[in-house]
Amino acid sequence: MDFELDDGQRLVQQTARDYAQKTILPQAAAIDREERFPFEILKGLGELGLLAVNVPAALGGSEAGVVAYSLAMTEVARACASTAVTMAVTNMVGEVIAKFGTPAQAERHCPRLADGTWAAGAFALSEPGAGSDPGGMRTTARKVDGGWVLDGQKAWITSGAHAGVIVVWARTGGPGTAGISCFLVEKDHKGLLVGKHEDKLGLRGSNTVTLTFDDCEVPDDALFGELDGGFKIAMMALDGGRIGIASQAIGIGLAALDEAIVYAKDRQQFGKAIAEFQAIQWMIADSTTELSAARMLALRAAWLKEHTRPHSREASMAKVWASEAAVRACNRSVQIHGGYGYTREFAAERHLRDVRVSMIYEGTSEIQRTVIARQVLR
Ligand code: COS
């Protein structure tokens, strides 16, 4: 056993922390209030190598590994959760293209995702009627001479309006999970229509849209991975994505905890700081313990993935625990702040709004428990 980070991991963590605290954090409240997509910040993350942390250097990535990615994600989320989710999906898209794409696809997209030439990457799996059950998707891809024609609608697409490249899943075969393939579609492609931006509870600086494919013709070389092999690519990508979301939730939870500690030491009631009351101490102890456990689970799942070991169950365990622990930590932070926690004067309310979706996206808590139970009971 070795709980020490290596020098490279520490460097990535420190780089992310410095940029997050100095550059991102001062803008986080405005990003939320103004629903501002963080274009400039993403450029900065690209310059620091944080948009393709686990992508090979030959494709423009940092090749720093999954553990380093998890650490960087937590640091960015600690400053701004909207920026963090945009970074998470971009990293996931870069990784999946590096892993499953042809050399030509990888060489076209990975460097552009890594350096921020593409503002972001997007992952278009969910549909209005297919969320937890992507095998029920209705978007189709019909073979024509020299290419494919995509028709259908995708929902909840993070960065969908700004992404340079979108990984799109569509039905090429029969019903169920076996007849699904994957395609790469670039921004502004004819027949790709960007729909309404969702008016969300939190993550208001991240872009979330529907995408409609209306007779959207793409060339043969847009097919990504094997014909009818797309579902497994989605599942493998999500296994990694869930480590990212667990790490994001930990960052939001830690931010909420940090602020609760500062407030509890400062706020005086009954003639002393409220941090001296056991009721407050126990809340802080519980959040510290639960987030620490979350970190262990996330880093272990990251380590397994980095060592190309099976990590699906561990990624789901990390995500379900981290997201739920972080929601509890953010809720406690609002409670510790009292009435002030319910106002925009403090960041506590933003953290609670931002963190809530981590129990929903990239697989709900219920889906994570299903994945875990299926593997345990197999
Ligand atoms: N890695 C590799 N392959 C996987 C896999 C994984 N993690 N999970 C499933 N597969 C494979 C299975 O082995 C199976 O292959 P065969 O057909 O060769 O046997 C195939 O994929 C279908 O798997 P399964 O029958 O388990 O599919 P289900 O429809 O029952 O779905 C769940 C399984 C529920 C786990 C899946 O639909 C899921 O993760 N849903 C949540 C989706 C999600 O996260 N949505 C959010 C969208 S992104 S914001």
Side-chain angles (χ1 to χ4, degrees):
M1 285 289 273
D2 183 359
F3 284 99
E4 290 294 339
L5 301 177
D6 66 29
D7 289 346
Q9 290 159 347
R10 246 195 301 269
L11 178 66
V12 172
Q13 182 184 41
Q14 195 57 49
T15 303
R17 182 176 297 162
D18 288 346
Y19 186 68
Q21 292 300 313
K22 286 189 195 128
T23 305
I24 307 179
L25 183 59
Q27 303 181 54
I31 286 172
D32 170 66
R33 213 174 28 247
E34 298 161 16
E35 291 190 75
R36 189 202 299 166
F37 188 79
F39 285 108
E40 284 307 311
I41 290 175
L42 291 166
K43 270 264 173 219
L45 289 172
E47 281 162 22
L48 295 171
L50 297 175
L51 294 180
V53 180
N54 189 41
V55 169
L59 292 170
S62 305
E63 204 172 311
V66 193
V67 169
Y69 169 61
S70 167
L71 297 166
M73 177 52 52
T74 294
E75 293 303 329
V76 172
R78 210 165 175 164
C80 174
S82 293
T83 301
V85 70
T86 313
M87 167 181 160
V89 178
T90 302
N91 270 276
M92 175 162 70
V93 167
E95 261 193 61
V96 82
I97 295 177
K99 185 159 182 200
F100 297 102
T102 61
Q105 288 169 333
E107 279 156 24
R108 170 148 182 83
H109 296 295
C110 291
R112 288 173 171 79
L113 288 164
D115 70 9
T117 303
W118 290 155
F123 191 88
L125 179 69
S126 297
E127 299 186 356
S132 291
D133 178 20
M137 74 175 58
R138 293 169 64 177
T139 296
T140 56
R142 176 169 48 87
K143 185 78 191 88
V144 293
D145 231 16
W148 296 85
V149 176
L150 307 183
D151 277 292
Q153 195 175 56
K154 295 289 171 181
W156 315 112
I157 308 308
T158 300
S159 307
H162 307 304
V165 61
I166 305 161
V167 190
V168 184
W169 279 264
R171 187 165 297 290
T172 42
T177 58
I180 291 170
S181 300
C182 209
F183 297 86
L184 296 181
V185 181
E186 291 190 19
K187 188 176 167 56
D188 300 328
H189 196 85
K190 190 162 172 279
L192 164 60
L193 310 169
V194 177
K196 79 174 165 69
H197 174 57
E198 303 293 345
D199 189 10
K200 306 190 297 290
L201 174 69
L203 299 186
R204 292 184 67 83
S206 81
N207 172 259
T208 312
V209 293
T210 51
L211 294 177
T212 301
F213 296 87
D214 181 15
D215 252 341
C216 178
E217 185 164 352
V218 293
D220 273 326
D221 62 9
L223 177 69
F224 174 74
E226 291 192 4
L227 184 63
D228 292 341
F231 189 80
K232 285 183 194 173
I233 294 178
M235 291 298 111
M236 285 187 258
L238 283 170
D239 283 343
R242 288 165 184 167
I243 298 172
I245 298 307
S247 312
Q248 182 208 22
I250 294 163
I252 306 170
L254 287 173
L257 174 60
D258 291 344
E259 283 149 19
I261 293 168
V262 170
Y263 186 82
K265 285 180 169 171
D266 183 58
R267 172 75 174 168
Q268 302 277 321
Q269 289 293 279
F270 303 101
K272 55 185 174 182
I274 62 169
E276 291 182 40
F277 291 104
Q278 202 174 44
I280 304 296
Q281 292 171 359
W282 285 17
M283 283 196 259
I284 287 172
D286 285 345
S287 293
T288 304
T289 306
E290 291 175 17
L291 291 173
S292 184
R295 204 153 208 188
M296 299 282 177
L297 285 171
L299 289 175
R300 175 153 184 273
W303 185 89
L304 288 169
K305 182 178 171 216
E306 188 160 315
H307 288 81
T308 59
R309 305 245 198 114
H311 57 273
S312 175
R313 180 181 67 173
E314 287 75 11
S316 286
M317 284 164 43
K319 181 177 182 285
V320 69
W321 177 263
S323 59
E324 295 186 357
V327 167
R328 288 193 293 273
C330 292
N331 206 21
R332 287 186 197 112
S333 180
V334 168
Q335 191 68 18
I336 290 169
H337 281 80
Y340 293 105
Y342 201 64
T343 71
R344 298 218 167 180
E345 198 175 324
F346 288 84
E349 62 85 32
R350 169 162 53 87
H351 297 317
L352 184 58
R353 287 187 289 105
D354 284 346
V355 79
R356 186 59 180 80
V357 75
S358 63
M359 289 174 60
I360 298 171
Y361 63 14
E362 296 205 20
T364 59
S365 281
E366 292 70 26
I367 286 293
Q368 308 311 325
R369 290 186 169 90
T370 300
V371 170
I372 297 162
R374 277 188 187 182
Q375 294 191 31
V376 171
L377 296 170
R378 190 160 55 192

